[in-house]
Amino acid sequence: DVQLQASGGGLVQTGGSLRLSCAVSGFTSDDYVIGWFRQAPGKERRGVSCIRKSDGSTYYADSVKGRFTISRDSAKNTVYLQMNSLKTEDTAVYYCATDTVPCTEVVAANYRIGMDYWGRGTQVTVSS
């Protein structure tokens, strides 16, 4: 079975940076994508970034574009989310997940969160 483990969260000041990691194990075909999601208190879980296994293409929600960067180390089966210029609004539990859905849908504002496999979330707290 596919398993994912997100790590790297913590407490940072506004303007600071964190790098989250998602370790993926188990078989996935080239049709799979890895998405990063976040859920803030009182809010629904939303996709913020996505990367395609097939070619490494990357996608971002408007709220994080220009500040976050998703990348992969294929040899280590690990996906990263570099988070720069962090804002208080970025405070959330961050999750990684995988499925065969299009990355364009993962980062869409109205995506219903239908990924097949989820990792345990990691807390990111940004203080003012």
Side-chain angles (χ1 to χ4, degrees):
D1 199 15
V2 178
Q3 296 188 184
L4 307 95
Q5 179 63 58
S7 61
L11 173 64
V12 297
Q13 296 264 9
T14 57
S17 298
L18 284 173
R19 189 179 75 163
L20 307 183
S21 298
C22 177
V24 183
S25 63
F27 174 79
T28 59
S29 74
D30 282 351
D31 295 328
Y32 276 73
V33 304
I34 299 291
W36 282 100
F37 298 78
R38 67 186 183 187
Q39 187 166 22
K43 302 291 185 180
E44 291 189 83
R45 192 174 299 180
R46 290 284 181 262
V48 298
S49 190
C50 186
I51 187 167
R52 295 198 291 194
K53 183 179 179 182
S54 58
D55 62 3
S57 297
T58 59
Y59 302 80
Y60 301 93
D62 289 343
S63 58
V64 306
K65 179 68 176 176
R67 300 187 298 119
F68 292 7
T69 303
I70 190 170
S71 62
R72 65 178 180 178
D73 185 334
S74 297
K76 297 198 295 184
N77 291 322
T78 300
V79 173
Y80 304 97
L81 186 68
Q82 179 67 46
M83 310 165 66
N84 297 328
S85 302
L86 283 163
K87 306 175 179 178
T88 300
E89 308 94 88
D90 297 318
T91 295
V93 178
Y94 284 72
Y95 304 83
C96 58
T98 190
D99 206 339
T100 57
V101 299
C103 272
T104 52
E105 295 186 7
V106 169
V107 301
N110 62 352
Y111 183 56
R112 77 182 196 279
I113 314 300
M115 310 291 277
D116 278 353
Y117 301 98
W118 293 85
R120 176 182 291 181
T122 185
Q123 176 71 51
V124 172
T125 302
V126 185
S127 63
S128 59

